[in-house]
Amino acid sequence: VGGSVAATQTNTNLSLKGVHYFALINDGPNEVYIVISELGISYNTTAATTDFELKNGEFMSFTSQQGFGRVSIICQTGETGTVRYIGHR
């Protein structure tokens, strides 16, 4: 899987469909906040501006033995961003 998504003050949910590895790149122009959900684990998957911060230009990669279900992404009120992603099973 791969592509890019727009981030706004409203949650954007990206379906990862069970990938075991994925990476996020914040193409900016603002910081984004993310929450990651593994498959089979039930907890809050709505991002808030108090969650993990990925600043403009930063890159993060993640791995999971059981696979990821989705990522939720949000920006501060009035801001926007673009996040690229790539993943594989």
Side-chain angles (χ1 to χ4, degrees), residues 6-27:
T8 67
Q9 67 190 33
T10 303
N11 268 276
T12 298
N13 294 310
L14 172 61
S15 177
L16 295 175
K17 302 176 183 172
V19 299
H20 293 276
Y21 166 85
F22 79 98
L24 298 173
I25 303 107
N26 183 354
D27 286 333

Side-chain angles (χ1 to χ4, degrees), residues 23-89:
L24 298 173
I25 303 107
N26 183 354
D27 286 333
N30 301 295
E31 63 277 352
V32 297
Y33 303 88
I34 61 172
V35 170
I36 303 163
S37 173
E38 286 185 292
L39 292 174
I41 298 176
S42 177
Y43 54 87
N44 183 9
T45 56
T46 300
T49 57
T50 54
D51 289 317
F52 180 81
E53 180 181 16
L54 190 63
K55 294 182 181 182
N56 178 22
E58 287 185 333
F59 162 90
M60 288 293 296
S61 62
F62 307 87
T63 59
S64 168
Q65 290 292 334
Q66 73 187 60
F68 295 102
R70 76 177 191 180
V71 175
S72 293
I73 304 168
I74 196 167
C75 281
Q76 293 280 355
T77 300
E79 295 184 347
T80 61
T82 301
V83 178
R84 282 184 292 146
Y85 64 95
I86 188 167
H88 64 82
R89 290 193 168 83

